[in-house]
Amino acid sequence: MVNERKHRGVEARLLSAEPKTLDEPAQERGVSRERIRQIEARAVELIRARSKPVPPKPKLRPALEPRRQPLSFGAPSAL
């Protein structure tokens, strides 16, 4: 889950009218540019994972539906 702090960092850097460089949020938060890049990459990864469609669950046969009878090929023949 992307917490509020990470969300604000990604939003300020990528979604604002004037995107910031890695230096600006790093200086504001007192961390390195590399750490900002890592946080940003993780946040984008989480957002992409959540935006993928979830495959539908397989439909199960209703409990009251009668089972199909196995195919019968007649009595076994004698060789």
Side-chain angles (χ1 to χ4, degrees):
M1 181 174 185
V2 179
N3 66 25
E4 184 65 27
R5 184 176 175 199
K6 291 177 184 176
H7 181 270
R8 280 185 281 133
V10 170
E11 185 176 50
R13 186 161 134 65
L14 300 176
L15 302 177
S16 67
E18 294 182 25
K20 297 181 177 183
T21 64
L22 287 172
D23 286 327
E24 294 173 39
Q27 289 175 354
E28 290 171 8
R29 290 169 179 76
V31 295
S32 68
R33 291 179 298 176
E34 177 61 18
R35 183 64 186 137
I36 294 294
R37 189 199 61 75
Q38 291 169 354
I39 291 169
E40 191 177 283
R42 178 69 177 139
V44 169
E45 182 181 309
L46 288 171
I47 292 167
R48 283 186 180 152
R50 288 175 185 231
S51 68
K52 289 183 182 177
V54 177
K57 292 183 178 180
K59 292 184 179 182
L60 300 177
R61 191 180 70 216
L64 300 176
E65 183 180 312
R67 293 180 178 251
R68 294 183 190 171
Q69 296 297 320
L71 295 175
S72 175
F73 296 105
S77 61
L79 295 176

